């Protein structure tokens, strides 16, 4: 059984990671230990330990003389996260379609309806949370606990990436329909088709992001300073 200290650290980790997953904490947000301690009614040492654990998960960045901030994944890291999710989730959904639990889809269908309602009511954090839980719970049906553990981290990092790079903040509306099609394929035991559908679903999400590297802009200092002096 975890010690009281460990349970407290896990509580703090859970609250902060959920805030990040639901995009309530934007990338780059400073996480000041004293303020977190007050807000969470927590020991500062426990907060520090929780931030360190979140940094190991890639959700928080800790820098000397600056403290902790919500991580800002690079474009390269974003591409790598999506590549990993495709590997994990194609296997997860195929396992679910082949498994004995493929008929246990009522909770997942209810989750889709909850997501749809949140989208219609423009409750973005709730919609993001539902979408994340859908992917994780669908993976659980496959029975590979280690896969689910790794996927949970990838899903949380994806939320950071979407928060930073999504071009259209209303792009969430199509997820519910795609989630429903995935469940239909799982229920029918169509493992290969379900894996392909999952790949396309994740590719669709990745395509909604602006991940193309921007060309470095050269700055004409002479022209800039000439303009400033002319305006003086």
């Amino acid at each position: 059984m975890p010690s009281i200290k460990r349970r407290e650290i896990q509580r703090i980790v859970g609250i902060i990671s959920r805030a990040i997953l639901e995009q309530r904490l934007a990338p780059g947000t400073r996480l000041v230990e004293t303020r977190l301690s007050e807000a969470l009614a927590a020991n500062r040492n426990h907060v520090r330990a929780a931030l360190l654990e979140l940094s190991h998960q890639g959700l928080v960045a800790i820098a000397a003389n600056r403290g902790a901030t919500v991580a800002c994944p690079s474009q390269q890291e974003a591409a790598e996260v999506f590549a990993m999710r495709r590997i994990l989730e194609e296997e997860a959904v195929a396992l679910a379609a082949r498994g004995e639990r493929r008929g246990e889809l009522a909770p997942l269908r209810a989750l889709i309806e909850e997501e749809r309602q949140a989208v219609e009511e423009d409750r973005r954090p709730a919609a993001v949370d539902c979408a994340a839980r859908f992917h994780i719970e669908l993976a659980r049906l496959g029975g590979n606990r280690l896969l689910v553990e790794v996927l949970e981290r990838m899903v949380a990092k994806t939320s950071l990436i979407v928060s930073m790079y999504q071009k259209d903040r209303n792009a969430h509306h199509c997820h519910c329909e795609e989630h429903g099609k995935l469940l239909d394929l799982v229920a029918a035991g169509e493992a290969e088709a379900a894996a392909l559908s999952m790949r396309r679903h994740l590719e669709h999400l990745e395509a909604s992001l602006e991940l193309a590297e921007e060309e470095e802009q050269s700055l004409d200092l002479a022209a800039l300073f000439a303009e400033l002096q002319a305006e003086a």
Side-chain angles (χ1 to χ4, degrees):
M1 178 180 294
S3 67
I4 294 175
K5 176 181 177 180
R6 184 59 193 159
R7 288 200 299 270
E8 177 64 3
I9 292 171
Q10 289 176 330
R11 179 183 76 88
I12 299 166
V13 167
I15 292 171
I16 296 176
S17 60
R18 180 176 177 183
I20 292 172
L21 186 148
E22 294 182 1
Q23 298 176 5
R24 296 174 187 268
L25 283 174
T29 300
R30 289 193 65 205
L31 301 171
V32 181
E33 290 180 8
T34 52
R35 293 180 60 189
L36 289 173
S37 298
E38 293 172 2
L40 297 173
N43 181 295
R44 187 169 175 179
N45 289 332
H46 294 166
V47 169
R48 185 177 297 116
L51 292 174
L52 184 61
E53 187 165 321
L54 288 164
S55 73
H56 293 156
Q57 296 177 16
L59 299 181
V60 166
I62 299 177
N65 302 321
R66 189 161 185 264
T69 59
V70 177
C72 297
S74 66
Q75 294 172 332
Q76 177 62 33
E77 186 177 1
E80 291 172 357
V81 166
F82 273 97
M84 178 63 78
R85 281 195 64 173
R86 284 192 292 273
I87 293 169
L88 292 172
E89 295 202 68
E90 285 180 49
E91 177 64 15
V93 76
L95 287 172
R98 297 189 187 105
E100 297 178 355
R101 298 182 59 195
R102 66 174 182 269
E104 303 174 17
L105 301 181
L108 282 165
R109 294 197 186 279
L111 196 52
I112 292 174
E113 286 307 310
E114 187 179 342
E115 180 188 2
R116 192 190 316 278
Q117 185 174 351
V119 170
E120 290 174 354
E121 296 173 358
D122 197 26
R123 292 185 288 115
R124 183 177 177 85
V128 170
D129 178 57
C130 287
R133 285 191 287 141
F134 174 86
H135 281 265
I136 293 166
E137 294 307 317
L138 178 56
R140 286 193 204 281
L141 292 181
N144 188 320
R145 287 179 293 177
L146 181 57
L147 187 156
V148 173
E149 182 180 325
V150 177
L151 179 60
E152 285 177 329
R153 297 187 181 187
M154 292 298 102
V155 167
K157 293 192 75 168
T158 300
S159 192
L160 275 176
I161 290 163
V162 168
S163 182
M164 286 185 67
Y165 296 113
Q166 193 162 59
K167 294 174 285 188
D168 180 4
R169 302 298 288 177
N170 297 314
H172 204 278
H173 69 278
C174 58
H175 293 181
C176 300
E177 182 180 349
E178 293 178 4
H179 287 168
K181 290 178 179 178
L182 276 168
L183 288 192
D184 291 341
L185 291 169
V186 169
E190 298 285 349
E192 291 185 9
L196 178 59
S197 182
M198 178 63 80
R199 168 174 282 271
R200 289 175 175 169
H201 173 56
L202 293 173
E203 287 175 345
H204 182 267
L205 175 57
E206 187 175 9
S208 73
L209 309 179
E210 189 66 77
L211 295 178
E213 295 287 351
E214 296 181 2
E215 295 183 4
E216 185 176 350
Q217 300 293 320
S218 59
L219 182 61
D220 187 339
L221 292 176
L224 170 63
F225 292 132
E227 182 179 347
L228 289 173
Q229 292 180 78
E231 293 174 357

